[in-house]
PDB file of all heavy atoms in Angstrom:
ATOM      1  N   ALA C  10      25.056  -5.249   6.129  1.00 81.00           N
ATOM      2  CA  ALA C  10      24.880  -4.616   4.829  1.00 81.00           C
ATOM      3  C   ALA C  10      23.440  -4.153   4.680  1.00 81.00           C
ATOM      4  O   ALA C  10      22.560  -4.569   5.423  1.00 81.00           O
ATOM      5  CB  ALA C  10      25.244  -5.606   3.726  1.00 81.00           C
ATOM      6  N   GLY C  11      23.207  -3.337   3.687  1.00 85.00           N
ATOM      7  CA  GLY C  11      21.863  -2.869   3.409  1.00 85.00           C
ATOM      8  C   GLY C  11      21.532  -1.596   4.132  1.00 85.00           C
ATOM      9  O   GLY C  11      22.227  -1.171   5.053  1.00 85.00           O
ATOM     10  N   ARG C  12      20.481  -1.001   3.706  1.00 91.00           N
ATOM     11  CA  ARG C  12      20.041   0.269   4.272  1.00 91.00           C
ATOM     12  C   ARG C  12      19.576   0.064   5.703  1.00 91.00           C
ATOM     13  O   ARG C  12      18.800  -0.836   5.985  1.00 91.00           O
ATOM     14  CB  ARG C  12      18.891   0.800   3.431  1.00 91.00           C
ATOM     15  CG  ARG C  12      18.298   2.084   3.913  1.00 91.00           C
ATOM     16  CD  ARG C  12      17.295   2.546   2.874  1.00 91.00           C
ATOM     17  NE  ARG C  12      16.524   3.683   3.318  1.00 91.00           N
ATOM     18  CZ  ARG C  12      15.645   4.310   2.551  1.00 91.00           C
ATOM     19  NH1 ARG C  12      15.459   3.900   1.300  1.00 91.00           N
ATOM     20  NH2 ARG C  12      14.981   5.336   2.986  1.00 91.00           N
ATOM     21  N   SER C  15      15.205   3.289   9.610  1.00 93.00           N
ATOM     22  CA  SER C  15      15.085   4.693   9.996  1.00 93.00           C
ATOM     23  C   SER C  15      14.750   4.799  11.482  1.00 93.00           C
ATOM     24  O   SER C  15      13.760   4.239  11.956  1.00 93.00           O
ATOM     25  CB  SER C  15      13.988   5.346   9.170  1.00 93.00           C
ATOM     26  OG  SER C  15      13.531   6.505   9.817  1.00 93.00           O
ATOM     27  N   ALA C  50       5.010   3.483   5.294  1.00 97.00           N
ATOM     28  CA  ALA C  50       4.239   2.431   4.633  1.00 97.00           C
ATOM     29  C   ALA C  50       3.880   1.340   5.623  1.00 97.00           C
ATOM     30  O   ALA C  50       4.588   1.118   6.611  1.00 97.00           O
ATOM     31  CB  ALA C  50       5.024   1.826   3.478  1.00 97.00           C
ATOM     32  N   THR C  52       4.135  -1.700   5.317  1.00 97.00           N
ATOM     33  CA  THR C  52       5.216  -2.697   5.390  1.00 97.00           C
ATOM     34  C   THR C  52       6.222  -2.372   6.478  1.00 97.00           C
ATOM     35  O   THR C  52       6.694  -3.257   7.186  1.00 97.00           O
ATOM     36  CB  THR C  52       5.974  -2.754   4.061  1.00 97.00           C
ATOM     37  OG1 THR C  52       5.372  -1.878   3.139  1.00 97.00           O
ATOM     38  CG2 THR C  52       5.971  -4.151   3.543  1.00 97.00           C
ATOM     39  N   THR C  53       6.578  -1.123   6.556  1.00 97.00           N
ATOM     40  CA  THR C  53       7.560  -0.686   7.548  1.00 97.00           C
ATOM     41  C   THR C  53       7.082  -1.033   8.948  1.00 97.00           C
ATOM     42  O   THR C  53       7.847  -1.468   9.814  1.00 97.00           O
ATOM     43  CB  THR C  53       7.766   0.827   7.431  1.00 97.00           C
ATOM     44  OG1 THR C  53       8.252   1.110   6.123  1.00 97.00           O
ATOM     45  CG2 THR C  53       8.755   1.334   8.451  1.00 97.00           C
ATOM     46  N   ARG C  56       7.349  -4.644   9.604  1.00 96.00           N
ATOM     47  CA  ARG C  56       8.729  -5.079   9.700  1.00 96.00           C
ATOM     48  C   ARG C  56       9.209  -4.992  11.144  1.00 96.00           C
ATOM     49  O   ARG C  56      10.138  -5.663  11.547  1.00 96.00           O
ATOM     50  CB  ARG C  56       9.594  -4.201   8.792  1.00 96.00           C
ATOM     51  CG  ARG C  56      10.755  -4.921   8.173  1.00 96.00           C
ATOM     52  CD  ARG C  56      11.474  -4.044   7.152  1.00 96.00           C
ATOM     53  NE  ARG C  56      10.807  -3.996   5.858  1.00 96.00           N
ATOM     54  CZ  ARG C  56      10.353  -2.881   5.279  1.00 96.00           C
ATOM     55  NH1 ARG C  56      10.492  -1.717   5.870  1.00 96.00           N
ATOM     56  NH2 ARG C  56       9.776  -2.935   4.104  1.00 96.00           N
ATOM     57  N   ARG C  57       8.578  -4.140  11.939  1.00 96.00           N
ATOM     58  CA  ARG C  57       9.081  -3.878  13.293  1.00 96.00           C
ATOM     59  C   ARG C  57       8.190  -4.421  14.400  1.00 96.00           C
ATOM     60  O   ARG C  57       8.669  -4.655  15.506  1.00 96.00           O
ATOM     61  CB  ARG C  57       9.230  -2.368  13.474  1.00 96.00           C
ATOM     62  CG  ARG C  57      10.153  -1.795  12.417  1.00 96.00           C
ATOM     63  CD  ARG C  57      10.216  -0.301  12.469  1.00 96.00           C
ATOM     64  NE  ARG C  57      10.953   0.182  11.319  1.00 96.00           N
ATOM     65  CZ  ARG C  57      11.675   1.284  11.293  1.00 96.00           C
ATOM     66  NH1 ARG C  57      11.746   2.026  12.367  1.00 96.00           N
ATOM     67  NH2 ARG C  57      12.310   1.654  10.208  1.00 96.00           N
TER      68      ARG C  57
ATOM     69  P    DA F   4      25.724  -8.176  -7.715  1.00 62.86           P
ATOM     70  OP1  DA F   4      26.141  -9.542  -8.062  1.00 62.86           O
ATOM     71  OP2  DA F   4      24.552  -7.549  -8.361  1.00 62.86           O
ATOM     72  O5'  DA F   4      25.519  -8.129  -6.143  1.00 62.86           O
ATOM     73  C5'  DA F   4      26.570  -8.605  -5.299  1.00 62.86           C
ATOM     74  C4'  DA F   4      26.164  -8.456  -3.852  1.00 62.86           C
ATOM     75  O4'  DA F   4      26.104  -7.046  -3.513  1.00 62.86           O
ATOM     76  C3'  DA F   4      24.790  -9.031  -3.526  1.00 62.86           C
ATOM     77  O3'  DA F   4      24.916  -9.715  -2.287  1.00 62.86           O
ATOM     78  C2'  DA F   4      23.886  -7.804  -3.439  1.00 62.86           C
ATOM     79  C1'  DA F   4      24.850  -6.734  -2.936  1.00 62.86           C
ATOM     80  N9   DA F   4      24.535  -5.380  -3.370  1.00 62.86           N
ATOM     81  C8   DA F   4      24.131  -4.969  -4.601  1.00 62.86           C
ATOM     82  N7   DA F   4      23.948  -3.677  -4.707  1.00 62.86           N
ATOM     83  C5   DA F   4      24.258  -3.196  -3.446  1.00 62.86           C
ATOM     84  C6   DA F   4      24.267  -1.911  -2.896  1.00 62.86           C
ATOM     85  N6   DA F   4      23.937  -0.818  -3.588  1.00 62.86           N
ATOM     86  N1   DA F   4      24.632  -1.779  -1.608  1.00 62.86           N
ATOM     87  C2   DA F   4      24.970  -2.874  -0.921  1.00 62.86           C
ATOM     88  N3   DA F   4      25.003  -4.142  -1.330  1.00 62.86           N
ATOM     89  C4   DA F   4      24.629  -4.243  -2.611  1.00 62.86           C
ATOM     90  P    DA F   5      23.651 -10.445  -1.595  1.00 62.86           P
ATOM     91  OP1  DA F   5      24.174 -11.556  -0.778  1.00 62.86           O
ATOM     92  OP2  DA F   5      22.612 -10.677  -2.615  1.00 62.86           O
ATOM     93  O5'  DA F   5      23.132  -9.311  -0.602  1.00 62.86           O
ATOM     94  C5'  DA F   5      24.034  -8.839   0.388  1.00 62.86           C
ATOM     95  C4'  DA F   5      23.305  -7.861   1.283  1.00 62.86           C
ATOM     96  O4'  DA F   5      23.176  -6.596   0.600  1.00 62.86           O
ATOM     97  C3'  DA F   5      21.900  -8.309   1.679  1.00 62.86           C
ATOM     98  O3'  DA F   5      21.817  -8.256   3.079  1.00 62.86           O
ATOM     99  C2'  DA F   5      20.985  -7.315   0.975  1.00 62.86           C
ATOM    100  C1'  DA F   5      21.885  -6.095   0.808  1.00 62.86           C
ATOM    101  N9   DA F   5      21.574  -5.260  -0.353  1.00 62.86           N
ATOM    102  C8   DA F   5      21.311  -5.682  -1.621  1.00 62.86           C
ATOM    103  N7   DA F   5      21.085  -4.704  -2.481  1.00 62.86           N
ATOM    104  C5   DA F   5      21.208  -3.562  -1.708  1.00 62.86           C
ATOM    105  C6   DA F   5      21.089  -2.187  -2.023  1.00 62.86           C
ATOM    106  N6   DA F   5      20.793  -1.743  -3.238  1.00 62.86           N
ATOM    107  N1   DA F   5      21.286  -1.306  -1.024  1.00 62.86           N
ATOM    108  C2   DA F   5      21.578  -1.758   0.199  1.00 62.86           C
ATOM    109  N3   DA F   5      21.719  -3.018   0.613  1.00 62.86           N
ATOM    110  C4   DA F   5      21.518  -3.885  -0.401  1.00 62.86           C
ATOM    111  P    DG F   6      20.565  -8.922   3.850  1.00 62.86           P
ATOM    112  OP1  DG F   6      20.981  -9.265   5.214  1.00 62.86           O
ATOM    113  OP2  DG F   6      19.961  -9.932   2.966  1.00 62.86           O
ATOM    114  O5'  DG F   6      19.559  -7.697   3.929  1.00 62.86           O
ATOM    115  C5'  DG F   6      19.975  -6.530   4.628  1.00 62.86           C
ATOM    116  C4'  DG F   6      19.060  -5.401   4.240  1.00 62.86           C
ATOM    117  O4'  DG F   6      19.252  -5.022   2.867  1.00 62.86           O
ATOM    118  C3'  DG F   6      17.558  -5.727   4.361  1.00 62.86           C
ATOM    119  O3'  DG F   6      16.920  -4.642   4.995  1.00 62.86           O
ATOM    120  C2'  DG F   6      17.121  -5.803   2.912  1.00 62.86           C
ATOM    121  C1'  DG F   6      17.993  -4.683   2.372  1.00 62.86           C
ATOM    122  N9   DG F   6      17.951  -4.521   0.926  1.00 62.86           N
ATOM    123  C8   DG F   6      17.877  -5.481  -0.030  1.00 62.86           C
ATOM    124  N7   DG F   6      17.809  -4.988  -1.240  1.00 62.86           N
ATOM    125  C5   DG F   6      17.842  -3.619  -1.065  1.00 62.86           C
ATOM    126  C6   DG F   6      17.791  -2.568  -2.002  1.00 62.86           C
ATOM    127  O6   DG F   6      17.707  -2.633  -3.227  1.00 62.86           O
ATOM    128  N1   DG F   6      17.847  -1.313  -1.390  1.00 62.86           N
ATOM    129  C2   DG F   6      17.946  -1.120  -0.032  1.00 62.86           C
ATOM    130  N2   DG F   6      17.986   0.141   0.384  1.00 62.86           N
ATOM    131  N3   DG F   6      17.997  -2.108   0.867  1.00 62.86           N
ATOM    132  C4   DG F   6      17.937  -3.318   0.277  1.00 62.86           C
ATOM    133  P    DA F   7      15.995  -4.953   6.281  1.00 62.86           P
ATOM    134  OP1  DA F   7      16.846  -5.348   7.404  1.00 62.86           O
ATOM    135  OP2  DA F   7      14.887  -5.816   5.825  1.00 62.86           O
ATOM    136  O5'  DA F   7      15.408  -3.503   6.573  1.00 62.86           O
ATOM    137  C5'  DA F   7      16.305  -2.435   6.812  1.00 62.86           C
ATOM    138  C4'  DA F   7      15.797  -1.173   6.156  1.00 62.86           C
ATOM    139  O4'  DA F   7      15.989  -1.246   4.727  1.00 62.86           O
ATOM    140  C3'  DA F   7      14.305  -0.921   6.385  1.00 62.86           C
ATOM    141  O3'  DA F   7      14.112   0.424   6.774  1.00 62.86           O
ATOM    142  C2'  DA F   7      13.673  -1.215   5.029  1.00 62.86           C
ATOM    143  C1'  DA F   7      14.798  -0.862   4.059  1.00 62.86           C
ATOM    144  N9   DA F   7      14.727  -1.623   2.815  1.00 62.86           N
ATOM    145  C8   DA F   7      14.726  -2.980   2.681  1.00 62.86           C
ATOM    146  N7   DA F   7      14.650  -3.393   1.432  1.00 62.86           N
ATOM    147  C5   DA F   7      14.610  -2.224   0.705  1.00 62.86           C
ATOM    148  C6   DA F   7      14.536  -1.980  -0.691  1.00 62.86           C
ATOM    149  N6   DA F   7      14.494  -2.942  -1.599  1.00 62.86           N
ATOM    150  N1   DA F   7      14.501  -0.692  -1.086  1.00 62.86           N
ATOM    151  C2   DA F   7      14.544   0.276  -0.168  1.00 62.86           C
ATOM    152  N3   DA F   7      14.618   0.171   1.163  1.00 62.86           N
ATOM    153  C4   DA F   7      14.656  -1.125   1.532  1.00 62.86           C
ATOM    154  P    DC F   8      12.706   0.956   7.180  1.00 62.86           P
ATOM    155  OP1  DC F   8      12.934   2.062   8.109  1.00 62.86           O
ATOM    156  OP2  DC F   8      11.849  -0.180   7.548  1.00 62.86           O
ATOM    157  O5'  DC F   8      12.155   1.568   5.815  1.00 62.86           O
ATOM    158  C5'  DC F   8      12.744   2.773   5.344  1.00 62.86           C
ATOM    159  C4'  DC F   8      12.168   3.142   4.009  1.00 62.86           C
ATOM    160  O4'  DC F   8      12.539   2.128   3.047  1.00 62.86           O
ATOM    161  C3'  DC F   8      10.642   3.147   3.968  1.00 62.86           C
ATOM    162  O3'  DC F   8      10.193   4.476   4.169  1.00 62.86           O
ATOM    163  C2'  DC F   8      10.303   2.720   2.561  1.00 62.86           C
ATOM    164  C1'  DC F   8      11.604   2.199   1.991  1.00 62.86           C
ATOM    165  N1   DC F   8      11.474   0.835   1.446  1.00 62.86           N
ATOM    166  C2   DC F   8      11.346   0.664   0.076  1.00 62.86           C
ATOM    167  O2   DC F   8      11.340   1.662  -0.636  1.00 62.86           O
ATOM    168  N3   DC F   8      11.230  -0.589  -0.431  1.00 62.86           N
ATOM    169  C4   DC F   8      11.251  -1.629   0.398  1.00 62.86           C
ATOM    170  N4   DC F   8      11.153  -2.841  -0.140  1.00 62.86           N
ATOM    171  C5   DC F   8      11.383  -1.482   1.807  1.00 62.86           C
ATOM    172  C6   DC F   8      11.485  -0.239   2.289  1.00 62.86           C
ATOM    173  P    DC F   9       8.625   4.638   4.452  1.00 62.86           P
ATOM    174  OP1  DC F   9       8.446   5.956   5.091  1.00 62.86           O
ATOM    175  OP2  DC F   9       8.098   3.437   5.100  1.00 62.86           O
ATOM    176  O5'  DC F   9       8.020   4.692   2.985  1.00 62.86           O
ATOM    177  C5'  DC F   9       8.245   5.870   2.187  1.00 62.86           C
ATOM    178  C4'  DC F   9       7.504   5.735   0.874  1.00 62.86           C
ATOM    179  O4'  DC F   9       7.857   4.480   0.255  1.00 62.86           O
ATOM    180  C3'  DC F   9       5.969   5.731   1.010  1.00 62.86           C
ATOM    181  O3'  DC F   9       5.453   6.520  -0.047  1.00 62.86           O
ATOM    182  C2'  DC F   9       5.604   4.267   0.877  1.00 62.86           C
ATOM    183  C1'  DC F   9       6.681   3.772  -0.091  1.00 62.86           C
ATOM    184  N1   DC F   9       7.009   2.314   0.025  1.00 62.86           N
ATOM    185  C2   DC F   9       6.980   1.512  -1.120  1.00 62.86           C
ATOM    186  O2   DC F   9       6.672   2.013  -2.192  1.00 62.86           O
ATOM    187  N3   DC F   9       7.289   0.192  -1.010  1.00 62.86           N
ATOM    188  C4   DC F   9       7.618  -0.308   0.181  1.00 62.86           C
ATOM    189  N4   DC F   9       7.924  -1.607   0.236  1.00 62.86           N
ATOM    190  C5   DC F   9       7.661   0.491   1.356  1.00 62.86           C
ATOM    191  C6   DC F   9       7.341   1.792   1.242  1.00 62.86           C
ATOM    192  P    DA F  10       3.903   6.946  -0.037  1.00 62.86           P
ATOM    193  OP1  DA F  10       3.821   8.253  -0.711  1.00 62.86           O
ATOM    194  OP2  DA F  10       3.332   6.767   1.320  1.00 62.86           O
ATOM    195  O5'  DA F  10       3.250   5.848  -0.984  1.00 62.86           O
ATOM    196  C5'  DA F  10       3.736   5.711  -2.303  1.00 62.86           C
ATOM    197  C4'  DA F  10       3.111   4.494  -2.956  1.00 62.86           C
ATOM    198  O4'  DA F  10       3.765   3.290  -2.480  1.00 62.86           O
ATOM    199  C3'  DA F  10       1.615   4.314  -2.663  1.00 62.86           C
ATOM    200  O3'  DA F  10       0.924   4.433  -3.891  1.00 62.86           O
ATOM    201  C2'  DA F  10       1.515   2.914  -2.064  1.00 62.86           C
ATOM    202  C1'  DA F  10       2.823   2.251  -2.512  1.00 62.86           C
ATOM    203  N9   DA F  10       3.295   1.217  -1.603  1.00 62.86           N
ATOM    204  C8   DA F  10       3.501   1.322  -0.251  1.00 62.86           C
ATOM    205  N7   DA F  10       3.946   0.221   0.310  1.00 62.86           N
ATOM    206  C5   DA F  10       4.033  -0.665  -0.738  1.00 62.86           C
ATOM    207  C6   DA F  10       4.443  -2.014  -0.803  1.00 62.86           C
ATOM    208  N6   DA F  10       4.840  -2.715   0.251  1.00 62.86           N
ATOM    209  N1   DA F  10       4.412  -2.624  -2.014  1.00 62.86           N
ATOM    210  C2   DA F  10       4.007  -1.922  -3.077  1.00 62.86           C
ATOM    211  N3   DA F  10       3.603  -0.650  -3.141  1.00 62.86           N
ATOM    212  C4   DA F  10       3.642  -0.068  -1.920  1.00 62.86           C
ATOM    213  P    DG F  11      -0.653   4.566  -3.926  1.00 62.86           P
ATOM    214  OP1  DG F  11      -0.974   5.343  -5.144  1.00 62.86           O
ATOM    215  OP2  DG F  11      -1.173   4.986  -2.607  1.00 62.86           O
ATOM    216  O5'  DG F  11      -1.093   3.063  -4.159  1.00 62.86           O
ATOM    217  C5'  DG F  11      -0.549   2.352  -5.255  1.00 62.86           C
ATOM    218  C4'  DG F  11      -0.875   0.879  -5.099  1.00 62.86           C
ATOM    219  O4'  DG F  11      -0.026   0.270  -4.102  1.00 62.86           O
ATOM    220  C3'  DG F  11      -2.309   0.611  -4.630  1.00 62.86           C
ATOM    221  O3'  DG F  11      -2.782  -0.520  -5.328  1.00 62.86           O
ATOM    222  C2'  DG F  11      -2.103   0.264  -3.175  1.00 62.86           C
ATOM    223  C1'  DG F  11      -0.834  -0.571  -3.331  1.00 62.86           C
ATOM    224  N9   DG F  11      -0.210  -0.920  -2.071  1.00 62.86           N
ATOM    225  C8   DG F  11      -0.168  -0.163  -0.924  1.00 62.86           C
ATOM    226  N7   DG F  11       0.435  -0.779   0.063  1.00 62.86           N
ATOM    227  C5   DG F  11       0.793  -2.005  -0.462  1.00 62.86           C
ATOM    228  C6   DG F  11       1.460  -3.097   0.135  1.00 62.86           C
ATOM    229  O6   DG F  11       1.870  -3.208   1.290  1.00 62.86           O
ATOM    230  N1   DG F  11       1.629  -4.156  -0.767  1.00 62.86           N
ATOM    231  C2   DG F  11       1.212  -4.147  -2.061  1.00 62.86           C
ATOM    232  N2   DG F  11       1.457  -5.247  -2.776  1.00 62.86           N
ATOM    233  N3   DG F  11       0.590  -3.129  -2.638  1.00 62.86           N
ATOM    234  C4   DG F  11       0.410  -2.099  -1.782  1.00 62.86           C
ATOM    235  P    DA F  12      -4.262  -0.491  -5.911  1.00 62.86           P
ATOM    236  OP1  DA F  12      -4.224   0.290  -7.151  1.00 62.86           O
ATOM    237  OP2  DA F  12      -5.201  -0.141  -4.817  1.00 62.86           O
ATOM    238  O5'  DA F  12      -4.492  -2.027  -6.276  1.00 62.86           O
ATOM    239  C5'  DA F  12      -3.615  -2.637  -7.203  1.00 62.86           C
ATOM    240  C4'  DA F  12      -3.481  -4.119  -6.907  1.00 62.86           C
ATOM    241  O4'  DA F  12      -2.665  -4.280  -5.735  1.00 62.86           O
ATOM    242  C3'  DA F  12      -4.812  -4.820  -6.629  1.00 62.86           C
ATOM    243  O3'  DA F  12      -4.876  -6.012  -7.424  1.00 62.86           O
ATOM    244  C2'  DA F  12      -4.770  -5.123  -5.133  1.00 62.86           C
ATOM    245  C1'  DA F  12      -3.273  -5.175  -4.828  1.00 62.86           C
ATOM    246  N9   DA F  12      -2.968  -4.692  -3.473  1.00 62.86           N
ATOM    247  C8   DA F  12      -3.316  -3.480  -2.945  1.00 62.86           C
ATOM    248  N7   DA F  12      -2.924  -3.315  -1.702  1.00 62.86           N
ATOM    249  C5   DA F  12      -2.284  -4.494  -1.396  1.00 62.86           C
ATOM    250  C6   DA F  12      -1.649  -4.955  -0.234  1.00 62.86           C
ATOM    251  N6   DA F  12      -1.553  -4.239   0.899  1.00 62.86           N
ATOM    252  N1   DA F  12      -1.106  -6.197  -0.248  1.00 62.86           N
ATOM    253  C2   DA F  12      -1.196  -6.912  -1.370  1.00 62.86           C
ATOM    254  N3   DA F  12      -1.767  -6.592  -2.527  1.00 62.86           N
ATOM    255  C4   DA F  12      -2.297  -5.363  -2.477  1.00 62.86           C
TER     256       DA F  12
END
Side-chain angles (χ1 to χ4, degrees):
Chain C
R12 178 173 172 176
S15 159
T52 357
T53 299
R56 213 173 280 121
R57 303 174 188 210

